[in-house]
Amino acid sequence: MKKGRVEKLLIILILMFILAIVFVCLHLHALWITLMLVLLTVIGLYGLIVLKKQTSLVAKQQRELTMLKNKAVMQREEEAAMLSNASHEMRTPLTTIAGIAEGLQYGVISPDEQQHSYDLIKEEADRLTRLIKSTLSYERLRQQQLENQPENFNVVQLVRRQIDQLLQQAESVGNEIQDLTKQDIFVYADPDQVAQILTNILANAIQFTTNGIITVSVETENDQAQITISDTGIGMTEDQLSKIWQRYYKVDPSRTKRGESGLGMAIVQQLVSANHGEIKVSSKLGIGTTFEIILPAMNK
């Protein structure tokens, strides 16, 4: 009921109460007075109930409005942070390219160093390209514009293929990758996207682990496949763990490889969601990190 109607009801209640007093003063029959008082009581209680509901509704609407305002503020802050981080990431290669180009233009760089300068320009240009591609991929995923082509496939074979591709990289820093999976397991998902998920997580495990062990296992439970990737690397604090899915966030910038955008985990989260899965992460500083990727089992 609208606020105006509640006010009218209260006015009627007051008028009837006044009328009842007049009746009493005129010594009308007791039955009429009793009926009038009962009617007034019923109307009064109804008015109070309606007023209470109206007050609760207004309070609820105010809470919802406050939540929407807070959400809008958070989105604006997130977008501002994203633009700031993206600008920072792009500024570094652009500054390098501009500096080298200026040096070549004015003959500051010697002929012996020119080839190295050209290599640096290409390297920084490639870095910019990767950053832009990662940003566009993330935005397509966030806006659900990326095509998803799920199919039944053996995820264990895919896991072992990704391990083989990264094995040399792991061994170069003294890491061992252990495959603990004992049987073939099939899932219903997009194999290319799952490959990207595995590559990102395995590459991170290798990057933040030195002379350690990375274990990979795949199990089935409740019509789902669970891929677990653990490492004995540097681990993360609770604060770092809470920010891992944020765009452009880097757990340890000093150990981040040149050319990485910091979008890896944000993209991983979106890819898992696009395949109707779930991803969990746990970590302890100085002990290691564990990722659990849960995907739907084979579609029968």
Side-chain angles (χ1 to χ4, degrees), residues 89 127 204 207-208 234 248-263:
E89 292 294 332
R127 179 182 176 188
N204 260 18
Q207 179 178 327
F208 294 105
I234 62 175
Y248 300 103
Y249 179 71
K250 297 177 181 178
V251 172
D252 186 355
S254 65
R255 294 190 62 172
T256 299
K257 291 183 179 179
R258 186 177 181 83
E260 289 190 350
S261 64
L263 281 168

Side-chain angles (χ1 to χ4, degrees), residues 191-209:
D192 291 333
Q193 292 180 2
V194 175
Q196 188 175 352
I197 293 167
L198 296 172
T199 298
N200 271 280
I201 295 176
L202 284 169
N204 260 18
I206 293 168
Q207 179 178 327
F208 294 105
T209 305

Side-chain angles (χ1 to χ4, degrees), residues 35-292:
L35 291 174
M36 186 62 66
L37 290 175
V38 169
L39 180 61
L40 283 171
T41 302
V42 171
I43 294 174
L45 289 173
Y46 177 73
L48 290 174
I49 292 170
V50 171
L51 185 61
K52 184 177 179 181
K53 286 183 178 179
Q54 180 69 22
T55 304
S56 300
L57 180 61
V58 171
K60 181 181 178 182
Q61 290 174 341
Q62 288 177 341
R63 287 195 299 270
E64 291 175 351
L65 183 60
T66 301
M67 289 176 61
L68 289 172
K69 287 181 178 179
N70 292 338
K71 186 177 180 180
V73 170
M74 289 178 63
Q75 286 178 342
R76 285 197 297 269
E77 290 177 350
E78 185 181 350
E79 289 173 0
M82 182 200 72
L83 289 173
S84 176
N85 290 330
S87 298
H88 175 75
E89 292 294 332
M90 292 181 181
R91 191 180 301 119
T92 303
L94 286 173
T95 301
T96 302
I97 291 171
I100 295 172
E102 187 176 357
L104 291 169
Q105 181 181 3
Y106 293 103
V108 176
I109 299 175
S110 66
D112 294 339
E113 297 177 344
Q114 286 182 3
Q115 185 57 50
H116 178 62
S117 298
Y118 292 134
D119 292 340
L120 278 178
I121 289 176
K122 185 179 184 309
E123 182 180 334
E124 293 300 321
D126 290 342
R127 179 182 176 188
L128 263 178
T129 300
R130 288 194 296 271
L131 176 61
I132 293 169
K133 285 178 65 176
S134 295
T135 303
L136 291 175
S137 294
Y138 178 82
E139 286 304 314
R140 283 197 297 268
L141 282 166
R142 191 174 68 87
Q143 298 175 19
Q144 297 181 344
Q145 294 178 352
L146 192 67
E147 292 185 4
N148 184 274
Q149 298 177 335
E151 61 182 72
N152 293 320
F153 69 94
N154 189 340
V155 72
V156 173
Q157 289 182 357
L158 180 61
V159 166
R160 288 171 179 165
R161 187 162 68 244
Q162 301 310 117
I163 290 175
D164 289 341
Q165 291 178 1
L166 295 168
L167 191 57
Q168 186 175 355
Q169 180 181 334
E171 292 175 345
S172 67
V173 289
N175 290 326
E176 177 187 354
I177 301 181
Q178 296 180 349
D179 179 8
L180 305 181
T181 303
K182 299 178 180 179
Q183 61 180 358
D184 289 339
I185 295 172
F186 289 80
V187 299
Y188 183 70
D190 187 311
D192 291 333
Q193 292 180 2
V194 175
Q196 188 175 352
I197 293 167
L198 296 172
T199 298
N200 271 280
I201 295 176
L202 284 169
N204 260 18
I206 293 168
Q207 179 178 327
F208 294 105
T209 305
T210 303
N211 298 320
I213 298 174
I214 298 165
T215 60
V216 185
S217 64
V218 186
E219 299 175 345
T220 56
E221 185 177 351
N222 298 326
D223 292 328
Q224 292 178 319
Q226 179 176 305
I227 306 169
T228 304
I229 300 174
S230 299
D231 64 60
T232 57
I234 62 175
M236 290 178 279
T237 64
E238 289 294 327
D239 181 60
Q240 290 171 332
L241 199 60
S242 67
K243 298 175 181 176
I244 191 173
W245 308 119
Q246 292 181 8
R247 289 173 286 184
Y248 300 103
Y249 179 71
K250 297 177 181 178
V251 172
D252 186 355
S254 65
R255 294 190 62 172
T256 299
K257 291 183 179 179
R258 186 177 181 83
E260 289 190 350
S261 64
L263 281 168
M265 288 298 102
I267 290 176
V268 162
Q269 187 184 43
Q270 293 292 329
L271 287 172
V272 171
S273 178
N275 285 278
H276 305 287
E278 183 182 359
I279 185 165
K280 302 175 183 178
V281 57
S282 59
S283 185
K284 289 188 178 180
L285 191 65
I287 296 178
T289 302
T290 297
F291 282 91
E292 294 179 9

